[in-house]
Amino acid sequence: MLDTNAWLDLLVFTDPSLAGFADAARDGSVRIVTDHRAIAELERVLRYGVLRLDEAAARSHLDVTRRLATCIDVPAMTLPRCRDPDDQMFLEIAVAARADALLTRDAELLRMARRMAREHGVAVVAPSMWRDVSAQMSKR
């Protein structure tokens, strides 16, 4: 599971720490989940002027997102509250999908890492940690 900034790192900025991640999603060794709220936020953010993406590039990034990720329905649930209400959806998606990890650089989400791991079994980690989490999960 990726938050919006992790998607940007993967799609727009081609962050070297995520090298191989899209290939792992394509071959099924990593499963990415999202929901309609997260897709809508990514669509909005891809159109921010600071990213300097034209419409075709933004659409292309969204197409890749839709191909790589499985969109799920997230039921109403009670979870620990993130200080940033805009980030709450990422916790909800991760728990609803029974995700092993939520990849984020967001300080408010990372602050919740211990509690989310303890209470819901979701590792909240920086995108650069995806290989470590994937390796731990494959040992199970």
Side-chain angles (χ1 to χ4, degrees):
M1 150 102 239
L2 289 81
D3 75 351
T4 303
N5 284 316
W7 276 113
L8 292 176
D9 288 347
L10 179 67
L11 301 169
V12 177
F13 304 122
T14 57
D15 184 334
S17 71
L18 286 167
F21 187 81
D23 291 334
R26 283 185 198 97
D27 73 20
S29 56
V30 169
R31 185 183 130 204
I32 307 172
V33 294
T34 192
D35 82 345
H36 67 92
R37 299 169 298 170
I39 293 285
E41 179 174 286
L42 180 60
E43 185 171 12
R44 182 177 45 81
V45 170
L46 285 169
R47 287 174 171 81
Y48 285 177
V50 69
L51 293 178
R52 298 179 187 209
L53 298 173
D54 61 25
E55 185 61 26
R59 273 195 315 270
S60 176
H61 291 315
L62 282 170
D63 289 344
V64 170
T65 300
R66 289 184 178 110
R67 281 194 305 274
L68 293 179
T70 300
C71 197
I72 64 169
D73 292 323
V74 177
M77 64 180 75
T78 303
L79 292 177
R81 300 304 301 172
C82 185
R83 288 183 190 168
D84 182 348
D86 291 338
D87 290 333
Q88 190 69 29
M89 70 175 151
F90 299 112
L91 301 175
E92 294 167 358
I93 298 165
V95 170
R98 295 188 171 123
D100 295 323
L102 165 56
L103 304 184
T104 183
R105 287 182 293 105
D106 185 278
E108 293 304 322
L109 288 170
L110 290 168
R111 182 186 63 76
M112 300 184 71
R114 277 190 165 160
R115 187 168 182 191
M116 290 301 294
R118 182 180 64 244
E119 294 179 16
H120 300 284
V122 176
V124 180
V125 297
S128 61
M129 301 297 294
W130 78 270
R131 284 185 183 84
D132 297 336
V133 172
S134 194
Q136 288 174 351
M137 296 306 121
S138 67
K139 290 179 183 178
R140 289 183 179 177

